[in-house]
Structure formats: C-alpha cells, structure tokens
Amino acid sequence: MTSEPFDLVIRSRRTVLPYGERPAAVAVRGGRIAAIEDHDAALASGAEVNLGDTALLPGLVDTHVHINEPGRTEWEGFASATRAAAAGGVTTLVDMPLNSLPPVTLPSALATKRDVAEGQVFVDVGFWGGAIPGNVPALRTLHDYGVFGFKCFTADSGVPEFPPLSPAEMHEAFREIASFDGLIIVHAEDPAGLAEPGDGGYPAFLASRPPSSERSAVEQVIRIAEQTGVRAHIVHLSAADCLEPLAKAQARGIPVTAETCPHYLTLSAEDVPAPVPDGLPSTSFKCCPPIRDAGNREELWRGLADGVISCVVTDHSPCTPELKRGDFASAWGGIASVQLGLPAIWSAARARGHGLDTVVRWMAEGPANLVRLAGKGRIAVGNDADLVAFAADEPFTVDPARLHHRHPVTPYAGRSLTGVVQATWLRGEVVDDTPRGSLLRADRADRR
C-alpha cells in the first residue's frame, strides 16, 4: 500500500460490505475507495469521520426516476429531484424517458436532456431511452450515445407522446435491442384486461387494473424475450401473481428480471383513506399498477427473499398538486418517494427479519447490476466513494415540509419510519448546496 495519505477515512462499526456488516475503516483517494481496513487501523488522511454505531452504506442506485425536465419542469426538475435523492441516500439515478418533453426517443431529445441537466445535478444521473412505435431505427444510435436501456409500455402510458407497443412492435424492438445486447424495461399491463373505473373511489380503481392484466403482459414479455434473446426487465411489479411465471422463466435461463417499489412493499389497499373534498390525502396513493391488498404485499416480500425480484427502486413519479386533485378516476397516477425509499424499506424489512446488507443488495447492488454500473452500489476497493451515513435505529415522522422534491405530496405524510440519512458522500465529497453530480454514459468505460 502506498504511504501517500488518503483524502478521507470514514470509520463505522456498522459498515455494510458486499459480504456482510462489520466494523471497518473506508479510505478514499481521488474519489474512489482506495482501501478497506480494520476499524481501528492507523491510516494517514487529510480528513477523518468516525460514525461510531451509525451505519455506513454504499450510495443507493435508483434506476426508476421521472425527473420530467424539460417540458414538464413544473412537475419536477433535475435540481429538486437530485437534492431529494441525496437526502434519501441515493447517489446514482437513471432518469426515465418520459414524462419530459420531448421524450427521449430520438438522439436529439437525449442531447436536449443532457444539456438541460448539465450543472444542475447533486448526484450522478444516467438516462433511459424510449421504445415507441416507429423509432426502431433510432434505438442503436441512442444506445451508442450512452442510454442504459429502453423503456416501453404495453398499455397507455398516460401521455400521448409516448404510445405503447403492440405485440408485433415489441417483437421488432426487442429483436433490434438484442442485436446490440441492450436492455428493454417494460411497463407490463395488458390493455385487454384494463377497464375504466366504475366510480372515483379506490376499490373501483383497483378493480379496473386487476392482477390478471399484469400477469398476462408479463407472460407476453417472457415469450417475446425467449424468442428474441433480449435482456428484459419488468418495472414496478405490483401483482404477486406474476412471480410464478417469472420464477419459471428464470429457472429456464430466459434473461428476464423484475423490480418492485417501496409503495408496493410498505403500503396496502387497506391503508388508502376515504376521499376528502380536495382529494389530496387519498389520491396521493394513486399509481399504476395500483397498490394492492396486504396479502399481495407479503407475497412480494417472499418474491424478494427468493430472488425472483432482484431490486427495489422508487418509481419516483411526481406531478403538480393540481393534478392530484379530484378522485381516483381522474387524478394523475404516480408517487414521489425518492427521498423516502430507504427508510420506508428498511422500516418494513427489519420488521420481517432482514438486515441492512439485504436492503443494500436490493437498493444499491441489484440496480447497479441491472444497468451494468460496475463501480456503483457496493463498498469495494476501486468503486466510486459514494457513501451514506445512516442512523438505522433513529425513528422519525414523515413531514412533507422537509422533503426536497418539488411538490411535497406523499402518501407517507405523517407515517412513522425508522432510519435517518445523516450525510451522503458522492465520490468522497459531502453532498451540500453545490451540484457536483456527473452525467453518466453507458457506452464509456469510466461511465462519465
């Protein structure tokens, strides 16, 4: 080991490493983890932080975030979303190709996104491309320009500029993406199984998007992935009925994976309050696919424990408060939670006997593996020094006024959670009021 002093040493008796939790000292040089030593090792450094019993985690990787800038920046923007991410222990996120305008379905739109984001981001940000009818000729170029994969819908996306793919169009897009070993991520609901809600209440909304519609679409994705050889990933899985076909496909070696979200794992249909006149406390729970019953939620936890679901990401999907007004038939469907994902999942996971190392595998290592970010998601020598001080035993009550995303609308308001992010480091520097994040490219060896 070189005798040159390290830039920073962080010590914690609860350092979460890829092989488990133990006391350790993490040494940083040049923005990367240079050494992992015994907790009390003598290490020369320019700065030192001793966290005591506060846990030290790798920065989380959230591969499902809607930032909406440009075009719908009044919903959310790069500065507000990435500040919220850092406050929640997320140091890397990948931005969805919708609901911004224009959507990232052409190289010119990707360039626009990058230009707008430059200099605004407090964490590292990558970008998804979109697969829509008619843009297959653009997919390889988008891949070459550094998107991490392609999002598509099997049903209405909610915005007219991002239409769904028919089964024939899915075949064409999947085959093209497979030709350059790309990744397709799919919002899987079968439009034939969806209906208009009978009224504006939650039971009618839930019945209008049944588990069978998710399962049918997931089975279709599995068939087309097997036929084309594409790497396919199911986003925001809400229906536990989908676990059986996914497990069978994975056992057969079909390259299909799945994620779920904090709201599906910590909330339930039974939690949704009765509507009130302005609609906000109730419709803050609306998302698509919907939050289902408590029994379904427990089955999703089993799918995580069994490894059928490989990662937990937020699907941070904010909008203006006005769009959340009304009832469940008319309000915008989306939950803004990038700042709350870690404590929400940790609170529920510890109650079910899971450790911090398991939560890190779901929320940092798993998403990093999905998008092939080898230098993220783990405390390991050579990785970026993206780190989080997490007071894992400290309770708090969610106060919307303390959230950093643009509009403090959340179904977690007033909810008691455990686990407080005390500090976040991005490549060895504390995230503060200066945006130091990088824009990531999947086509470059150093990812920046």
Side-chain angles (χ1 to χ4, degrees):
M1 184 185 302
T2 178
S3 59
E4 179 186 353
F6 297 106
D7 301 328
L8 171 67
V9 172
I10 305 176
R11 302 178 194 270
S12 168
R13 285 190 284 271
R14 297 188 66 182
T15 303
V16 180
L17 301 170
Y19 46 84
E21 183 181 319
R22 71 170 177 86
V26 177
V28 178
R29 183 184 291 120
R32 295 184 184 272
I33 297 170
I36 301 170
E37 301 292 339
D38 291 339
H39 180 272
D40 298 324
L43 300 170
S45 66
E48 182 163 322
V49 176
N50 193 328
L51 297 178
D53 291 326
T54 296
L56 182 64
L57 316 182
L60 304 189
V61 179
D62 193 339
T63 52
H64 197 144
V65 176
H66 293 266
I67 292 180
N68 306 330
E69 185 176 10
R72 292 189 175 97
T73 311
E74 69 275 13
W75 294 18
E76 184 67 285
F78 282 103
S80 52
T82 56
R83 282 188 70 101
V90 175
T91 53
T92 303
L93 60 83
V94 187
D95 177 40
M96 283 289 162
L98 73 163
N99 301 302
S100 54
L101 293 169
V104 184
T105 56
L106 295 171
S108 58
L110 176 62
T112 298
K113 270 268 195 181
R114 292 181 66 91
D115 287 346
V116 170
E118 189 70 50
Q120 287 204 73
V121 297
F122 290 84
V123 301
D124 287 354
V125 175
F127 300 93
W128 293 107
I132 64 171
N135 84 323
V136 166
L139 298 179
R140 183 179 291 269
T141 303
L142 281 165
H143 170 76
D144 291 342
Y145 284 9
V147 300
F148 283 84
F150 301 90
K151 171 78 173 286
C152 75
F153 283 73
T154 61
D156 182 17
S157 72
V159 290
E161 67 275 4
F162 205 99
L165 296 180
S166 69
E169 290 164 336
M170 288 171 65
H171 270 276
E172 185 183 11
F174 284 24
R175 191 175 300 110
E176 173 66 7
I177 293 165
S179 73
F180 49 77
D181 191 29
L183 173 67
I184 184 76
I185 63 172
V186 187
H187 178 127
E189 289 182 285
D190 184 346
L194 304 180
E196 290 298 321
D199 58 48
Y202 193 74
F205 171 67
L206 183 59
S208 74
R209 306 185 89 99
S212 58
S213 70
E214 268 193 88
R215 178 161 179 155
S216 174
V218 166
E219 290 173 338
Q220 182 180 66
V221 171
I222 291 169
R223 287 193 298 272
I224 301 175
E226 184 175 25
Q227 292 162 3
T228 61
V230 75
R231 290 187 294 127
H233 179 76
I234 305 300
V235 297
H236 51 49
L237 187 76
S238 85
D241 285 0
C242 299
L243 295 172
E244 180 187 12
L246 282 167
K248 288 180 177 178
Q250 291 165 359
R252 291 168 52 208
I254 299 171
V256 60
T257 55
E259 67 188 39
T260 192
C261 304
H263 39 279
Y264 300 131
L265 294 168
T266 65
L267 305 175
S268 70
E270 294 88 339
D271 296 327
V272 179
V276 296
D278 70 0
L280 285 177
S282 183
T283 56
S284 64
F285 286 77
K286 183 179 178 180
C287 57
C288 299
I291 295 166
R292 304 191 188 277
D293 63 79
N296 179 88
R297 179 187 63 199
E298 296 312 308
E299 289 296 322
L300 291 177
W301 278 102
R302 280 187 275 277
L304 264 175
D306 293 342
V308 179
I309 302 171
S310 57
C311 46
V312 178
V313 292
T314 63
D315 188 11
H316 177 76
S317 185
C319 66
T320 62
E322 291 70 28
L323 289 173
K324 277 293 189 184
R325 298 189 189 279
D327 58 25
F328 281 97
S330 60
W332 175 260
I335 290 175
S337 60
V338 71
Q339 186 171 336
L340 297 172
L342 174 57
I345 289 297
W346 170 236
S347 299
R350 74 197 306 239
R352 291 166 173 81
H354 299 292
L356 270 177
D357 56 337
T358 304
V359 170
V360 163
R361 187 173 73 246
W362 293 334
M363 301 189 77
E365 185 175 346
N369 288 343
L370 174 69
V371 293
R372 296 179 171 176
L373 276 173
K376 302 285 191 181
R378 305 164 190 80
I379 297 179
V381 173
N383 276 16
D384 288 347
D386 299 346
L387 301 163
V388 177
F390 185 61
D393 300 319
E394 183 176 337
F396 73 101
T397 300
V398 176
D399 177 2
R402 298 178 65 86
L403 300 177
H404 292 285
H405 64 261
R406 178 149 290 165
H407 302 289
V409 176
T410 173
Y412 295 100
R415 196 173 181 90
S416 296
L417 300 177
T418 301
V420 174
V421 173
Q422 294 186 337
T424 302
W425 290 265
L426 181 68
R427 287 186 297 280
E429 294 193 60
V430 172
V431 179
D432 53 21
D433 293 333
T434 301
R436 299 189 184 91
S438 295
L439 304 183
L440 307 181
R441 298 174 61 97
D443 63 333
R444 288 182 50 179
D446 67 354
R447 299 171 302 281
R448 287 188 285 280

